[in-house]
Amino acid sequence: MPGSSFLVRPARTSDVPLIQALVEPLVQRRILLGKNLVVFYEAIQEFLVAEADDGSLIGCGALHVMWEDLGEVRTLAVADEYLRSGVGHALLDRLEEQALALGLSRLFCLTFETDFFARHGFTPISEEVITVDVYAELVRSSDEGVAEFLDLARVKPNTLGNTRMLKRL
C-alpha cells in the first residue's frame, strides 16, 4: 500500500470524475451499483472522500438521509491498493459522526461486505424496522436506495446477494 497517511474531507464537485473512476471497478465486479455522473453531482454534498498525501483520491462514501431518524451509508469504496489500511474505517467513522450531528439514530446499508460492517456494529435485518406510517411515506420516494431499503420488488435485481444491515447509533 502506497504511503499510509490520508485525509478524510468533504467531497467537492471537482472530485466527481475521480469518485466515478474509483467506484467503476467495483461496479464492474458487481459489488456496487453504477451511477451516472449527474447522480454523483446531485449528491456531492452527501460524500466524503479520502485523499492520499499525493492528492490522489483513495476512498469515498456518502450519507443519505432517508427519514427523521434513519440514514443510509452509500457508495463506500476504497481503492484496491488501500484495502485494509484503515481508509474504509475512517470514512465510515466520519459518516457516523455526521449522522449523529444530523440527529439520526439508525444507519442502514445494503452490502456484500458484511464482515466489515459487522465490525462497525451493523447487524443483518430481515424484519421491517419502520412503522407502517413511515413505510407509506418512504414508498413515495423515487430514490432507488430507499426502494432497496424497503425491499421493493422492482429493485430485487439490484439487491441479489446483498445483505440489508442496520446500526443503532
Side-chain angles (χ1 to χ4, degrees), residues 131-147:
T131 66
V132 172
D133 291 343
V134 171
Y135 181 94
E137 291 294 327
L138 287 177
V139 80
R140 296 177 188 183
S141 174
S142 60
D143 186 275
E144 290 297 300
V146 173

Side-chain angles (χ1 to χ4, degrees), residues 16 46 62 66 71 92 145:
V16 167
E46 298 180 352
M66 296 172 70
L92 186 53

Side-chain angles (χ1 to χ4, degrees), residues 82-154:
Y82 284 88
L83 291 174
R84 294 177 230 348
S85 67
V87 174
H89 290 283
L91 284 163
L92 186 53
D93 287 347
R94 285 281 302 277
L95 292 170
E96 288 182 13
E97 288 172 14
Q98 286 185 336
L100 286 168
L102 288 169
L104 302 177
S105 59
R106 299 180 300 164
L107 280 180
F108 165 76
C109 69
L110 180 69
T111 185
F112 288 108
E113 301 296 333
T114 55
D115 290 341
F116 172 82
F117 282 98
R119 286 193 303 273
H120 278 271
F122 285 76
T123 56
I125 57 170
S126 56
E127 74 283 351
E128 295 304 321
V129 293
I130 54 174
T131 66
V132 172
D133 291 343
V134 171
Y135 181 94
E137 291 294 327
L138 287 177
V139 80
R140 296 177 188 183
S141 174
S142 60
D143 186 275
E144 290 297 300
V146 173
E148 290 164 354
F149 170 74
L150 297 175
D151 208 22
L152 299 180
R154 69 179 169 84

